[in-house]
């Protein structure tokens, strides 16, 4: 949902189509962002705003006093079904709609603490117990919750605190014997059990600390670059009139070396699953689990116990600290605009947040240039045509001026030539204004105009909340003035930048049943962010780096040996292992406005094979690959087999249906039947699909899952290794997909070894 919801997008594009030709031409030929913005915003009419408001009302982001009871009851149902994760999420939704210091809030926190206890999240459980008490948890229910607290403390090894909690409980029982006899007996038995646990724990040696879990996350650059923040000293910033800015290796780089570690300048959680009320939800209160329920809206840390914003039900955070930081930086402005921002899309939200964050930097120079964009067209932030003329050929490049050699600054660098993760660097990312269609520029400009109308309702003092520097406040004053269009021009620039410079922030999520011995996983998009340093990397369909994320931090590592002087390359999405050449070229041309000439594309253009091996069919007689268009013929000169493509495609569709039936059996625990079904599919696939076909790999992967569930680790590993070969051919040895498969294989080996050692130990005990 990068762009606005479909109804608003269609409405604006229809409005564009109905504009007089002369107005369309004026906007199309506008040379500056300020001209585009001013011409477009003058066309936003009150009836347009009313239509947008009606769409926005479909998103429930306010606090509904009737929602907490509904979510608590739905959470209780999940709890009874032992779906503790689902229960925790529903209790969190209840908390989000509750007002602070109410019984609703305290009950939701207390119930969530019970779900977290069953999930083994004891520290977080204790935090929720404290929150429940802070918000006025009823005294009549306190004993049950305090027993949970004591048990958490025991399990965490905090025995002195556990003993004190039990002692306080016993004193409370003696002072206020209000419990029924049956309840009192249950509590007494629980207390006795906890006391015995404490005695046993005290006799055990201290357990190993959990401190070794963050080693990989905390890995830093060996030596940080003095000219590029967050980059390794192994890279250097260069420029070229055709390629723009790019990074090269200053020495030989080994596979796995960390090259960039950069926190996003700005990021916005992707609300892809959030649906407005009119799309047929069973209730106005949504019970589905979305990324917005599972991840912090500021740092993107995963959390089943989020702390909600006090003003809205949408924004949730992993901690009170994150909530306060978000409020101080941007959410104090965004909170009342939540429904509007969901309607206008993520790109508009990122544009607003980027500009709000500029309030906290010494952005005077950027502001003066933005002001110049309106008052003086010769003093504006450079567009791509101007920018190329100002680039030097490498860092610290030189040019002639008045007979003297002077350094040519690289856009985005400060006066000392340093490129940092700041608003100035963000502003110097290219918006590619001349490449966007007139309709797209009009759509973006009207989005920003509608948002500005809402912002104008807030006073400049509200927008300057949190600014501490009087110098900065003075610099920002003209920017934040309601009658000024600077605010809108800045946001329009950012919105246009995002098509080429937005970075999808991803995470690995577990898929399938939690009871599976082998964990399946997939990469999901969590958020959209801007990373000024990462944006320096040029594209290749066969890159020499890989990127991963921990919260909002991007890490770029060498995926192969990179020689001194070679360019550091990143894939913008169209990878040679996932798309054909024609599809990649079309994607890059339409989104990034360039034709790719990387070696993978050059090689692919001259390749004569009709289709890649992971989509190829084979001859039923000799197993050689068959090629052709409507009729496919065997590639073996001594074989005369031929078959129509339609027939093979029909067989493939039938096979995929049979595999789907097997997977359903697998999900329902009918393992033997699933294996028989999959073996039949495997036999059928061998008669017409290449050995490297992706469906063949999927069948082998499913067989590995089934045999692992039966505890037959040897067969499971054998099938998974066959799947690995297909994945490697399809996606490459350094791909994320290959990593997922290797992780599954490691689980099989670990589980197989573990079970073998237990069996061996039992056999040894029997002999003794």
């Amino acid at each position: 949902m990068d762009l606005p919801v479909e109804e608003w997008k269609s409405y604006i594009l229809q409005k564009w189509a109905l504009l007089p030709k002369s107005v369309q031409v004026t906007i199309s030929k506008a040379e500056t962002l300020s001209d585009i913005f001013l011409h477009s915003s003058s066309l936003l009419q009150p009836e347009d705003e009313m239509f947008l408001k009606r769409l926005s009302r479909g998103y429930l982001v306010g606090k509904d006093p009737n929602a907490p009871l509904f979510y608590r009851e739905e959470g209780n149902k999940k709890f009874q079904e032992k779906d503790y994760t689902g229960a925790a999420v529903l209790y969190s939704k209840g908390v989000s709609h509750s007002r602070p210091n109410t019984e609703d809030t305290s009950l939701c926190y207390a119930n969530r603490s019970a779900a977290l206890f069953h999930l083994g999240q004891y520290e977080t459980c204790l935090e929720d117990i404290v929150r429940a008490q802070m918000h006025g948890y009823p005294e009549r229910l306190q004993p049950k919750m305090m027993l949970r607290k004591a048990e958490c403390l025991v399990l965490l090894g905090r025995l002195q605190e556990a003993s004190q909690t039990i002692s306080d409980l016993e004193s409370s029982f003696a002072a206020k014997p209000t419990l029924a006899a049956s309840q009192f007996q249950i509590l007494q038995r629980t207390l006795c059990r906890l006391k015995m646990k404490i005695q046993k724990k005290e006799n055990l040696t201290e357990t190993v600390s959990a401190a070794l879990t963050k080693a990989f996350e905390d890995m830093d650059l060996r030596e940080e670059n003095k000219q590029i923040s967050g980059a390794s000293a192994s890279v250097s910033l260069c420029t070229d009139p055709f390629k723009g800015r790019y990074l090269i290796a200053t020495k030989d780089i080994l596979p796995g070396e960390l090259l960039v570690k950069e926190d996003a300048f700005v990021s916005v959680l992707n609300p892809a699953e959030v649906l407005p009320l009119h799309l047929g939800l069973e209730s106005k209160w949504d019970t589905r689990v979305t990324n917005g329920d599972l991840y912090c809206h500021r740092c993107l840390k995963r959390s089943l116990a989020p702390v909600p914003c006090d003003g809205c039900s949408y924004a949730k955070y992993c901690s009170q600290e994150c909530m306060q930081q978000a409020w101080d930086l941007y959410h104090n402005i965004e909170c009342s605009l939540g429904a509007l921002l969901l309607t206008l899309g993520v790109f508009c939200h990122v544009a607003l947040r980027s500009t709000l964050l500029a309030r906290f930097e010494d952005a005077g120079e950027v502001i003066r240039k933005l002001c110049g964009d309106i008052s003086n067209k010769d003093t504006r932030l450079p567009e791509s045509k101007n920018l190329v003329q100002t680039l030097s050929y490498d860092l610290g490049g030189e040019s002639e001026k008045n007979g003297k050699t002077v350094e040519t600054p690289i856009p985005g660098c400060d006066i000392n030539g340093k490129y940092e993760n700041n608003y100035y660097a963000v502003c110097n990312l290219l918006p590619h204004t001349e490449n966007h269609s007139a309709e797209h520029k009009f759509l973006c400009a009207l989005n920003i105009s509608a948002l500005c109308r809402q912002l104008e309702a807030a006073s400049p003092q509200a927008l300057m909340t949190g600014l501490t520097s009087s110098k900065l406040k003075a610099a920002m004053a003209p920017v934040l003035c309601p009658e000024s269009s600077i605010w809108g021009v800045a946001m329009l620039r950012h919105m246009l930048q995002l098509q080429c410079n937005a970075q999808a922030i991803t995470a690995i999520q577990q898929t399938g049943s939690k009871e599976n011995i082998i964990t399946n996983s997939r990469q999901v998009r969590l958020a959209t962010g801007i990373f000024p340093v990462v944006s320096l990397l040029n594209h290749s369909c066969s890159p020499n780096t890989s990127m991963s994320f921990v919260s909002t931090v991007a890490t770029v590592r060498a995926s192969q040996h990179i020689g001194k002087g070679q360019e550091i390359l990143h894939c913008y999405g169209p990878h040679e292992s996932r798309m054909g050449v024609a599809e990649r070229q079309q994607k890059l041309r339409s989104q990034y406005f360039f034709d790719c000439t990387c070696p993978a594309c050059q090689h692919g253009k001259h390749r004569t094979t009709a289709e890649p091996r992971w989509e190829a069919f084979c001859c039923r007689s000799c197993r050689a690959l068959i090629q052709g268009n409507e009729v496919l013929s065997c590639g073996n000169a001594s074989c005369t087999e031929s078959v129509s493509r339609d027939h093979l495609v029909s067989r493939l569709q039938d096979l995929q249906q049979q595999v789907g039936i097997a997977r359903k059996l697998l999900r329902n625990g009918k393992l033997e039947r699933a294996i028989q079904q999959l073996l039949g599919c495997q036999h059928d696939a061998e008669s017409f699909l290449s050995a490297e076909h992706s469906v063949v790999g999927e069948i082998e992967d499913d067989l590995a899952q089934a045999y692992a569930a039966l505890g037959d680790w040897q067969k499971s590993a054998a099938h998974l290794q066959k799947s690995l070969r297909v994945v490697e051919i399809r996606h490459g040895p350094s791909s994320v997909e290959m990593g997922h498969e290797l992780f599954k294989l490691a689980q099989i080996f670990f589980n197989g070894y573990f079970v073998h050692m237990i069996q061996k130990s039992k056999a040894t005990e029997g002999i003794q």
Side-chain angles (χ1 to χ4, degrees), residues 374-620:
I374 286 181
S375 60
N376 179 357
K377 292 179 183 177
D378 293 325
T379 57
R380 59 181 181 268
L381 278 172
E383 299 290 333
S384 55
K385 290 178 182 175
N386 311 40
L387 183 62
V388 170
Q389 296 168 8
T390 68
L391 296 177
S392 61
Y393 282 81
D394 52 284
L395 190 59
E398 298 179 340
S399 62
E400 292 289 330
K401 185 176 181 181
N402 299 327
K404 295 182 179 180
T405 301
V406 295
E407 283 197 357
T408 307
I410 294 179
C413 294
D414 62 20
I415 56 173
N416 299 313
K418 185 167 184 178
Y419 188 90
E420 296 193 82
N421 180 320
N422 58 21
Y423 188 66
Y424 183 66
V426 170
C427 274
N428 276 279
L429 298 174
L430 296 182
H432 294 282
T433 310
E434 73 285 357
N435 291 316
H436 291 288
S437 69
E439 294 94 327
H440 181 73
K441 287 183 279 193
F442 181 68
L443 172 67
C444 293
L446 250 65
N447 264 7
I448 298 300
S449 299
L451 185 54
C452 284
R453 299 276 175 94
Q454 293 294 315
L455 286 169
E456 284 172 3
S459 66
Q461 287 74 24
L463 290 172
M464 287 192 282
T465 299
L467 299 184
T468 54
S469 164
S470 57
K471 179 182 175 183
L472 186 54
K473 283 184 179 180
M476 292 303 294
V479 179
L480 303 175
C481 183
E483 62 265 22
S484 171
S485 296
I486 306 293
W487 192 254
V489 174
M491 286 193 282
L492 177 58
R493 181 180 183 84
H494 298 320
M495 194 165 180
L496 292 176
Q497 286 172 333
L498 286 164
Q499 180 164 319
C500 295
N501 292 287
Q503 176 63 54
I505 300 173
T506 60
I508 303 299
Q509 282 187 351
Q510 180 180 333
T511 60
S513 171
K514 298 177 184 65
E515 285 75 35
N516 285 354
I517 296 171
I518 304 176
T519 303
N520 275 320
S521 57
R522 65 188 174 107
Q523 192 173 40
V524 296
R525 179 179 173 183
L526 284 187
T528 298
I530 297 179
F531 297 81
V533 176
V534 170
S535 291
L536 296 172
L537 298 173
N538 278 334
H539 168 80
S540 171
C541 299
S542 181
N544 51 21
T545 63
S546 63
M547 185 181 298
S548 60
F549 298 89
V550 176
S551 297
T552 56
V553 177
T555 56
V556 179
R557 294 179 181 275
S559 59
Q560 60 192 57
H561 178 270
I562 304 173
K564 181 179 179 180
Q566 277 187 273
E567 186 173 356
I568 312 298
L569 297 165
H570 165 53
C571 179
Y572 290 178
H575 196 283
E576 67 165 340
S577 68
R578 299 181 185 93
M579 294 183 190
V581 177
E583 188 181 358
R584 297 201 306 269
Q585 291 286 357
Q586 190 277 328
K587 169 84 171 170
L588 292 166
R589 196 177 297 117
S590 62
Q591 182 172 347
Y592 297 99
F593 312 120
F594 70 87
D595 293 313
C596 185
T597 57
C598 73
C601 286
Q602 293 299 312
H603 174 70
K605 287 176 183 176
H606 300 102
R607 194 167 57 191
T608 57
T609 52
E611 51 210 346
R613 283 181 290 172
W614 57 84
E615 295 177 0
F617 298 104
C618 72
C619 175
R620 64 177 181 177

Side-chain angles (χ1 to χ4, degrees), residues 287-357:
T287 57
R288 294 166 308 146
V289 180
T290 69
N291 285 339
D293 300 312
L294 299 175
Y295 294 90
C296 175
H297 286 221
R298 191 193 78 83
C299 73
L300 303 182
K301 178 182 175 183
R302 186 178 173 91
S303 174
L304 280 176
V307 179
C309 168
D310 288 340
C312 69
S313 63
Y314 178 67
K316 306 176 186 73
Y317 305 94
C318 65
S319 65
Q320 191 73 27
E321 292 73 25
C322 252
M323 182 183 76
Q324 191 60 52
Q325 286 177 33
W327 181 263
D328 293 341
L329 290 171
Y330 47 78
H331 194 63
N332 59 334
I333 304 298
E334 295 177 358
C335 186
S336 62
L337 303 174
L340 178 65
L341 291 169
L342 287 171
T343 308
L344 294 179
V346 170
F347 278 7
C348 195
H349 197 165
V350 173
L352 170 64
R353 191 170 289 183
S354 299
T355 320
L356 290 171
L357 290 170

Side-chain angles (χ1 to χ4, degrees), residues 26 114 165 179 351 465 484 489 565 618 629 642 698 701:
T26 300
T165 302
L179 291 173
T465 299
S484 171
V489 174
C618 72
N629 294 321
S642 64
E698 290 168 13
D701 190 84

Side-chain angles (χ1 to χ4, degrees), residues 56-62 64 71 97 277 284-285 313-314 339:
S56 299
R57 287 193 198 107
Y59 291 97
L60 183 63
V61 296
D64 187 333
Y71 281 123
H97 280 278
L277 296 178
K284 68 174 181 176
W285 299 306
S313 63
Y314 178 67

Side-chain angles (χ1 to χ4, degrees), residues 513 515-519 665-672 674-675 678 701-717 747-748 751-752 755:
S513 171
E515 285 75 35
N516 285 354
I517 296 171
I518 304 176
T519 303
L665 292 169
L666 194 57
R667 284 195 301 272
N668 293 334
K670 298 174 181 177
L671 303 177
E672 298 288 356
I675 288 171
L678 287 167
D701 190 84
D702 291 335
L703 281 166
Q705 290 274 3
Y707 280 117
L710 287 174
D712 193 334
W713 307 108
Q714 209 164 9
K715 284 185 179 178
S716 179
Q747 291 178 78
I748 289 172
N751 282 304
V755 171

